[in-house]
Amino acid sequence: MALFSRKRPAASTPLDGVDTVLADLDGVVYAGPGALPFAVDSLNRAGESARLGYITNNAARTDASVAEHLSSLGLEVAASDVVTSPQAAMRLLAGILPAPATILVVGGDGLVDEVTKAGYTVTRSAEDSPAAVVQGFAPEVAWTDLAEAAFALKLPEEEGGIPWIATNTDWTIPRERGVAPGNGTLVSAVHTAIGRLATVAGKPEAPIFEEALARFGAQKALFIGDRLDTDIMGASRVGIDSVLVLTGIDRPKHVLAAPEGSRPTYILGDLRELHEPYPEVIEKDGVFHVNGAAVRVSGADVEIVAESGVQIDLLRAGAAAIWASGIPVFVLRVPERLYDDPFHRP
């Protein structure tokens, strides 16, 4: 039984046959202003054989500023190579409301720039009778901004209320100092106040992926992310292969607990492994083997049958065994050795 839903030749790399590589940013390329180890060189090498594009749920910056940041890290990036959640939000908004309608914007320059480019009129006040609210993350978003959104959205949409689009609902954002609250926390604050749900444009929803696939003309895409609940789930929803790289938010414990629909095609410790043969998972008599590592589920126990000395192969074997069992991980006894986290190789 294979570890993942898509069959691939043994000993192929994750990049084999791929014409478009789509990479998330926070936790994949960088954390804060600085590049993550090995990310830039690995992506530049991937760009020698595939089209590179970058997808971000972060609505705080413009595509041009993101491209400038990536270029400063050593990547060759133009603004058109960057697909942002505000761009996906405009894709949604255009199907609901024609420009130049007035839009209440909760967010920063990245969102204001896209709303303006799409021909809409920007306001920050509910007193201007906006025709919709678009909400995205920015560090400067304050209680007063959330309050204006709540005032504008006080009526449910089915009772004549205006549309509400959120660029994304990521709960957290990785930063150099740790994990910080993301746009999902701010959207949740408005939701709690008014009892309404926003329509979401960014990952894991389809619009941001559809925008990227169309823009880059992808025939066989590979998406690289660091979060199961947004990156991997979103790629699965649009039917493209995915990489979970363990340099950002989600850790080995999260991998073992990943529900169906949020399971990556590949699990990598860092982006160097994009260029390395990816080991086949072999199941024999209920034991899942990855190279020299082997794991099985026996009743309520997850058992390590053998170790290869390569921690990530043990994780891959453990994930294969747990996922195939159909048993929720929280009712299993999982040895801590399975989710040790020494994946950032020297």
Side-chain angles (χ1 to χ4, degrees), residues 23-49:
D24 180 46
L25 297 179
D26 289 322
V28 174
V29 181
Y30 53 66
L36 286 162
F38 319 116
V40 171
D41 288 345
S42 298
L43 288 169
N44 278 333
R45 185 178 169 193
E48 295 171 4
S49 60

Side-chain angles (χ1 to χ4, degrees), residues 54 63-64 66-68 70-71 75-83 215:
Y54 300 90
D63 52 4
V66 170
E68 183 179 0
L70 294 176
S71 297
L75 293 160
E76 295 183 10
V77 185
S80 58
D81 298 325
V82 180
V83 180
R215 184 184 303 180

